[in-house]
Structure formats: C-alpha cells, structure tokens
Amino acid sequence: MADRDTTPPAAPDDPATAGAWGTVAAVLRDLRAIDGALYAAVAATRTPTLDRTLRRLSHAADHSKISLTVAAGLALVPGRPRRAALAGVGAVALASAAANLLGKRMVRRRRPDREQARVSVDRHVPMPQSASFPSGHTASATAFATAVGVVLPAAAVPLGALAVAVGYSRVHTGVHYPGDVAAGSVLGFAAAAASLAVVQRPRPGSRA
C-alpha cells in the first residue's frame, strides 16, 4: 500500500537537469512503493503472540520514558555510567528536536491508513497527529542506545536491541512506514554523534 505523499515539484526546463530530476522522482516513487509493500506485509502477517508485547513496548517508548528511566539509573553511579547517562539524554534531546521540529515539518508525510491496511486492532496504539516522517520514537531510542553504548560498551548490545525493537514496534502497530523508521535511525546516529562530541570533548587542563 503506497502512502499518499504530495507530488514532487515540477522538473526544471533545462533538459539535462530535467532528466536527472525525472530519474530522482522515479527512484523515490519506487522506494515509496517498496515502503508501502513492506508496511502491508507486516500488517497482513498474523502474530497474535507478539501483538500485545509490541503494543506495550511502543506505548512505553512514548516521550522516551524507557531511555530516561535507564539514564536515571545510570546517573546514580559516578564516573563512566554518569557520563553515559549525560551523553544519552543529550542525544535524545537532539534527536527529538530534529525529528519533531525539523523533519516532520519539512516532509509532512501522511500517516499510514491503518484501517485500509487492515492492521489488527490488537496491535493498535493511539495514532499520532504529527507527520509520519521520520519516526521520533526510533530516532530517540537509537540516539540513546548509540550514545550510551559508546561511553559504556557493556550497554551497547541490550540498548541497541531495544532500539531496534522500538523501531519495529512502530511499524507493527501501524503508525509508521518502515522508511520512517529507517530515517529515524539515521537521525538517531547523527544526534548521538553530536552529543558525544560535546560530552567527550577534552576539558581545558585535562590530559588527553
């Protein structure tokens, strides 16, 4: 099922530029078709055992509640865990701002039509009113997992697995296309890199 995105702007008059623009537009159409097909495949696959678990996980990830709870626990331990918490929270803040204040307002992709795709009601979480692209839940979860995992390597695998599960849960519950989640992941990595650059920056007078 393809989403109902607005059509791209008209191609320029220059033949060479118009040809390149046409190629880009065609690739984007194909990618949207693949995105919609993946969404429809997930919707059509019956997974009654997973439905309730992923619905609860998706809801628990609202407003980065899981990440912030983990950060609160890490912050209680001085040294590297506390620095990891700081890096993680900073990454979440950057990812959330970039996704909600920039990405969603610039792209304005419509949310999937959950009823048309016949997503099981057992999976449903409230459909957000914001634009679909990118996935803010995925961006924040990926940003937190990446930033904390760099500072505290022992946490990288479990937090990374949790971020993947949160991202997939947004497709499973029908509120995002897979492409939204992929974009959210990329945004999360970028936010983590920015946060780490600040947190791990050598302080004046400190040893390298």
Side-chain angles (χ1 to χ4, degrees), residues 6-110:
T6 56
T7 56
D13 294 331
D14 178 67
T17 305
W21 181 264
T23 300
V24 171
V27 170
L28 290 176
R29 283 195 299 270
D30 289 349
L31 290 175
R32 285 198 295 269
I34 294 172
D35 206 16
L38 290 173
Y39 178 89
V42 171
T45 303
R46 293 189 70 254
T47 53
T49 305
L50 289 175
D51 289 350
R52 181 175 298 180
T53 300
L54 290 172
R55 184 187 66 197
R56 288 178 175 173
L57 175 62
S58 183
H59 179 67
D62 288 348
H63 309 295
S64 300
K65 291 193 295 286
I66 299 175
S67 296
L68 295 179
T69 299
V70 173
L74 291 174
L76 296 176
V77 184
R80 183 171 291 185
R82 187 168 292 171
R83 290 198 304 274
L86 180 61
V89 171
V92 167
L94 290 172
S96 180
N100 294 296
L101 300 180
L102 294 177
K104 292 180 183 292
R105 294 186 180 184
M106 291 175 62
V107 180
R108 297 186 179 277
R109 187 183 199 186
R110 295 184 183 182

Side-chain angles (χ1 to χ4, degrees), residues 64 67-68 71 83-99 136-151 184-199:
S64 300
S67 296
L68 295 179
R83 290 198 304 274
L86 180 61
V89 171
V92 167
L94 290 172
S96 180
H137 283 66
T138 307
S140 295
T142 301
F144 184 79
T146 303
V148 172
V150 169
V151 181
S185 296
V186 172
L187 184 59
F189 289 131
S195 179
L196 288 166
V198 174
V199 172

Side-chain angles (χ1 to χ4, degrees), residues 142-169:
T142 301
F144 184 79
T146 303
V148 172
V150 169
V151 181
L152 199 63
V157 172
L159 289 180
L162 178 61
V164 170
V166 167
Y168 175 73
S169 76

